[in-house]
Each structure stands twice: as C-alpha cells, then as structure tokens.
Amino acid sequence: VEAVANVVGQSELTTGLLLCVGMALYVHGREGRPLSLGRQIAIGACYAGAMLFKEHGIVLVALVVVAEMTVVRDPRPLWTRLVEMRPFVLALTALALAYLWARSVVLPGNLTGFHPFVPFQGLHLSAANRILTMIGVAPVWGRLFLWPAHLSSEYSPPAINIAQGMSITQLPGLLLMIGVVGLAFALRKRLPAASFGLGWLIVAMSPVSNIVVPAGFLIAERTLLFPSVGVMIFIGALVPLVYDWLSAHRVQYAVAVAVAVAALLAAGTWRSAMRQRVWHDDDVLFKTAVKDAPDSYRAHFMLGAWYMQNKRMRDGEAEYRRAMQLFPFDPFMAFSFAENYRQW
C-alpha cells in the first residue's frame, strides 16, 4: 500500500513496472534464440527509465544473469552464453555507469542514493553489527511478503532490535536467509521458474536490505514491492504442483482450495483498500504510526514534530519525551526538539 498511496513512494511502481517489462522482453526473447537488436534496445530503454525513477533499478543486469541460470532454455554452458551476450551486457553496464556518474554530479558524495540509518550512526554501529541487525529483521520481511496483515509506516528501535554482536535472536533470520539461497540453487533443474523467483527476490532485496550497502531505514514497505514480484513468481511456480496433487484427490478438495484462495484475495484487496486511508494526510499518518508501532521511537518522534509544527507544544513535548525515552541515541531528534522550542 505504501508504494501506491504515498505519492513519493509511487516511483517504486514505475521502476518495478519497467524492470518487469524489461525482464519479460528478455526472457521471451531468449526462447531458444539470440536476443534481437530491437529487444536489446527496448530493454535498454526500460533499464534507463527504471534507474531514473529509482536507483535500485540498477539491478536489472543481475536479473539477466539469474534468468540465464534458471529459466532461459539454452543447452550451452552459462559462460559460453554470457560471452556471446557480451556486447549487450557491456551496453547495460555502460548505462549503469552513466547513471552513477550523473547521480554523483547531482548528489556529490551520495553515489548509492542512500544515507545511513541515523540510529546506526548514533550508535557508531559497525558494518558487521548492521548486517547482524538485518539478519534479525529477515523474518519481518518474510511476514510482509506472505502475510502482510499488520502494516506500519515506521520500523525503528527498540521495536526492532539493534544488534550489538551475535545473538540467538538472529538465528531464525539466518536460517530463513540460508534456506532461501539454498532453495534457489536446489530448484534450478527441477523447478527453474521457482528458482528464478527466489533469485529475483535475492537480487531485488540487495540494494534495500541494509546488508550490501547502508540504507536510510530498517524496513520501508514501499521498497518491498519490487522484491515481492520474485516471491509471487516463486508461488506461481508451485501452483502446477498443487494442481497435480489436487487432481489426484477428490474434486471437492480443488473446489475448497479455489474458494479459499478467492476469499484470501478478496480479504487482501479489502485490507489494502482500507489501509489507503492511513495516507490521507500527515495528521492521520503520524497518529496511526504510533498506534501501529507504539514501541518504535520514530513514530513518536514524527508525531511530536507534527504537533509542534501545529503549535500543540504540550502534546508535542510528550511525544518527543516518549521517543527519547524509547531510544535516546538519535541526535537529530534532540536537535529538532530544541529547535522547535527555540523558534517558539
């Protein structure tokens, strides 16, 4: 919902659409034959457009490699195919380098497009602890991909634990991540489409996971839209297996499953429609964030700033103090609190 209802977040929609179109052109264009020049130009145009809408569009080159490893039907070795595709891959790489150069000119010192998460800076968190933190977050990603009943515009400490070394709490996330990577490799021959979906998920998550490069957030629901395409490809690839199993059993089982799936889709659609209202305006959004994530300090921080902006100083102070009680390591929060009083 965040990628739809929030105007700024809608860049995720366009980037995802352009990358999906580009990959569809690629996969269908490689059905037992080399990629035509027209398709190469169209894919390049999709690639350039996707990067201009959102920096994580840069992952298309990696998705091409994943497709070659899984769903592209070509009996030749992967390396042989990549050598044949060298001009096309080099052209895409040139587009990516041109984009990075242009971005560095517009935003000096911000090549990746992301600012590190402020609490990570305040705690002087090492790269290892940043990665351990995100390993602990992985089960939340899984829930949002497969059962997003509870949504929030804020995910921050102490609701999300910041790692200070290895901990048993990171084990579920570690097992989940190892399982996804292992399953992607294990299914390459038997269920290539499922393997492709998991590979898509891994590649699409890399720039927004806070693992490969530092990001300015722990979790942002809008950034999960494009990776969710891979999850849905994986689920779709399992449908024939489920259908075959149902076919071997009584017919009413199939009917029951169809009714359950229809009900689930209807419930999800209704939930999404109702969630749109949260993004009606700042007042609704910030108040709802505190209800959705009462233990996230940023939810209280943003509501406090909103109250003070609207001259509700007493309410604003209460929210600021609650935020600082939850997490006193964000220097921008203390500065914002003081600055509001200075202006008053």
Side-chain angles (χ1 to χ4, degrees):
V1 175
E2 187 173 307
V4 179
N6 180 17
V7 176
V8 174
Q10 289 182 2
S11 58
E12 306 282 347
L13 288 171
T14 312
T15 298
L17 175 62
L18 288 170
L19 290 177
C20 286
V21 170
M23 285 307 299
L25 288 170
Y26 182 84
V27 172
H28 291 288
R30 284 282 290 122
E31 285 291 326
R33 59 186 181 275
L35 204 62
S36 69
L37 179 61
R39 281 183 180 264
Q40 292 183 36
I41 294 173
I43 293 168
C46 289
Y47 188 32
M51 287 188 291
L52 290 173
F53 273 99
K54 195 75 176 180
E55 55 274 348
H56 65 231
I58 203 167
V59 302
L60 184 135
V61 178
L63 289 176
V64 165
V65 177
V66 171
E68 287 289 334
M69 293 173 63
T70 54
V71 292
V72 169
R73 297 173 185 175
D74 193 326
R76 295 175 299 168
L78 176 63
W79 182 250
T80 303
R81 286 180 271 154
L82 291 177
V83 169
E84 182 184 87
M85 293 161 46
R86 185 165 49 193
F88 174 63
V89 173
L90 287 175
L92 294 182
T93 304
L95 280 175
L97 291 174
Y99 167 77
L100 291 174
W101 172 81
R103 187 174 186 86
S104 69
V105 171
V106 176
L107 299 170
N110 189 23
L111 191 63
T112 65
F114 293 134
H115 296 284
F117 189 43
V118 171
F120 287 176
Q121 294 176 296
L123 293 172
H124 303 288
L125 210 66
S126 66
N129 280 333
R130 185 191 79 232
I131 293 171
L132 289 172
T133 297
M134 301 317 296
I135 290 174
V137 165
V140 182
W141 292 334
R143 178 187 67 79
L144 288 170
F145 284 134
L146 299 174
W147 194 258
H150 178 75
L151 300 172
S152 176
S153 60
E154 289 292 346
Y155 294 86
S156 60
I160 301 292
N161 182 54
I162 303 296
Q164 301 290 317
M166 297 184 68
S167 167
I168 190 66
T169 59
Q170 296 146 13
L171 184 59
L174 181 63
L175 294 176
L176 178 62
M177 295 172 73
I178 292 174
V180 168
V181 174
L183 197 59
F185 278 97
L187 295 177
R188 281 179 58 199
K189 302 298 183 183
R190 185 182 176 188
L191 284 174
S195 178
F196 176 57
L198 292 176
W200 182 303
L201 168 64
I202 294 167
V203 168
M205 282 297 295
S206 59
V208 299
S209 63
N210 238 322
I211 293 176
V212 179
V213 293
F217 48 82
L218 281 175
I219 298 176
E221 291 172 357
R222 63 187 180 278
T223 65
L224 302 182
L225 176 72
F226 181 59
S228 73
V229 175
V231 179
M232 295 302 105
I233 292 173
F234 171 73
I235 292 175
L238 299 181
V239 169
L241 297 181
V242 176
Y243 181 80
D244 291 342
W245 183 86
L246 291 173
S247 298
H249 293 73
R250 294 181 298 176
V251 177
Q252 55 263 38
Y253 282 8
V255 174
V257 170
V259 171
V261 170
L264 185 63
L265 290 174
T269 302
W270 177 257
R271 173 76 177 106
S272 297
M274 294 299 100
R275 181 69 185 177
Q276 298 274 344
R277 300 177 179 180
V278 170
W279 296 87
H280 182 271
D281 54 47
D282 286 347
D283 190 60
V284 175
L285 177 64
F286 296 144
K287 288 178 180 177
T288 305
V290 170
K291 296 177 182 177
D292 292 336
D295 292 330
S296 289
Y297 90 93
R298 270 189 55 86
H300 295 276
F301 174 16
M302 299 306 292
L303 181 59
W306 171 253
Y307 278 153
M308 285 195 162
Q309 181 181 333
N310 288 275
K311 310 306 179 187
R312 295 175 58 179
M313 306 302 284
R314 188 183 300 276
D315 293 332
E317 179 175 349
E319 292 299 330
Y320 266 107
R321 292 197 179 279
R322 176 57 179 156
M324 289 187 284
Q325 181 185 28
L326 287 168
F327 189 80
F329 306 107
D330 186 337
F332 288 101
M333 176 169 55
F335 174 80
S336 174
F337 188 21
E339 182 65 9
N340 272 295
Y341 269 116
R342 186 192 69 81
Q343 292 177 357
W344 179 257

